[in-house]
């Protein structure tokens, strides 16, 4: 029987360097012979990506109700789990996912103020006990992240999505909710200081992955 793969998630607020580092994690594991399925949330499959579009659409004409936002996150997740994540884990691949349910507790919970108990009910309903084996939390103060993001928006002239338009108080609450979850589950989470140099961040990621690889193989 094939050994079930491992499920690794990367989390953090906006502008902490997730895209660069998720690619680093993928490359690091592949270089050690691990089959990796790289994916993201919300999204990861064509239908789940269509839900992502709805969620990120910055159009102001009709506000998105926060319960509808929460349910759409989990609708996308149900699709992603059944079509991509679970089949990959079952064939023995390691899934590296850019955000997962900790983002829901941080953004819809911390940011929007939805009670964690309600989010936990949906988590149980959709995931039926499936949780990541390892969560790498890239932590940075929202003020530092904002400086980075503003440079990016200027350089690329891209429009801010619905979440990127939120204020600093929203991102402070998101950060705190992430940290609270990391402190409550230290065996699953590793907090990485994302304010240090990229080399420093990647050395910390590599050291954590090395330890887990030895433990899991
Ligand atoms: P990103 O992938 O570019 O970071 O954009 C996804 C956005 O969606 C980001 O602002 C965080 C947000 N998000 C939530 O609010 N809840 C969730 O459960 C997930 C997965 C993402």
């Amino acid at each position: 029987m094939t050994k079930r793969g491992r499920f690794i998630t990367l989390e953090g607020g906006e502008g902490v360097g997730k895209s660069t580092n998720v690619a680093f994690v993928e490359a690091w594991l592949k270089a050690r012979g691990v089959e990796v399925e790289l994916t993201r949330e919300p999204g990861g499959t064509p239908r789940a990506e269509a839900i992502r579009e709805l969620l990120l659409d910055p159009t102001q004409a009709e506000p998105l109700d926060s319960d509808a936002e929460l349910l759409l996150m989990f609708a996308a997740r149900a699709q992603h789990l059944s079509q991509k994540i679970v089949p990959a884990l079952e064939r023995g691949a390691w899934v590296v996912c850019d955000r997962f349910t900790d983002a829901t507790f941080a953004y819809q919970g911390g940011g929007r103020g939805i009670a964690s108990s309600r989010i936990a009910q949906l988590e149980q309903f959709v995931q039926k006990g499936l949780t990541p084996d390892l969560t790498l939390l890239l932590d940075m103060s929202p003020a530092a992240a904002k400086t980075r993001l503003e440079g990016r928006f200027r350089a690329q002239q891209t429009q801010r999505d619905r979440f990127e338009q939120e204020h600093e108080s929203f991102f402070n609450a998101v950060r705190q909710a992430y940290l609270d979850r990391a402190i409550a589950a230290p065996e699953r989470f590793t907090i990485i200081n994302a304010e240090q140099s990229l080399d420093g961040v990647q050395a910390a990621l590599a050291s954590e992955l090395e330890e887990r690889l030895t433990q899991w193989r």
Side-chain angles (χ1 to χ4, degrees), residues 21-197:
N21 288 307
V22 90
F24 172 81
V25 169
E26 178 193 30
W28 192 95
L29 289 170
K30 282 187 169 168
R32 281 146 192 90
V34 176
E35 184 196 343
V36 179
E37 183 78 51
L38 180 66
T39 190
R40 69 167 180 183
E41 288 219 341
T45 77
R47 286 190 196 278
E49 289 286 333
I51 299 175
R52 177 189 175 92
E53 294 283 304
L54 267 177
L55 279 161
L56 299 191
D57 183 353
T59 314
Q60 299 285 342
E62 181 192 353
L64 182 60
D65 176 81
S66 51
D67 281 352
E69 178 181 287
L70 173 67
L71 292 166
L72 285 170
M73 288 294 174
F74 274 105
R77 186 160 298 137
Q79 185 70 10
H80 189 205
L81 278 164
S82 74
Q83 301 302 306
K84 193 168 190 181
I85 298 179
V86 171
L89 293 172
E90 282 176 354
R91 72 165 192 271
W94 288 28
V95 174
V96 175
C97 193
D98 182 344
R99 300 192 186 281
F100 194 63
T101 309
D102 294 301
T104 314
F105 283 96
Y107 283 76
Q108 283 64 53
R112 304 270 187 243
I114 297 178
S116 324
S117 55
R118 294 180 66 208
I119 302 175
Q121 282 179 346
L122 291 171
E123 179 185 33
Q124 184 51 37
F125 177 75
V126 169
Q127 294 166 226
K128 306 168 190 78
L130 189 148
T131 50
D133 296 296
L134 169 65
T135 298
L136 301 158
L137 173 61
L138 298 172
D139 179 59
M140 178 183 276
S141 79
K146 194 174 167 208
T147 312
R148 281 199 191 186
L149 275 175
E150 275 167 2
R152 192 199 300 169
F153 288 128
R154 256 197 313 275
Q156 299 176 351
Q157 298 197 323
T158 44
Q159 197 188 4
R160 287 165 199 261
D161 69 36
R162 215 167 48 79
F163 291 100
E164 288 162 349
Q165 293 181 0
E166 289 294 341
H167 296 289
E168 207 165 310
S169 60
F170 178 91
F171 294 114
N172 284 328
V174 166
R175 182 194 196 190
Q176 194 54 53
Y178 268 136
L179 289 172
D180 290 345
R181 285 184 67 73
I183 289 160
E187 65 298 337
R188 173 165 72 86
F189 271 93
T190 297
I191 303 175
I192 308 234
N193 170 11
E195 285 184 41
Q196 61 186 316
S197 68

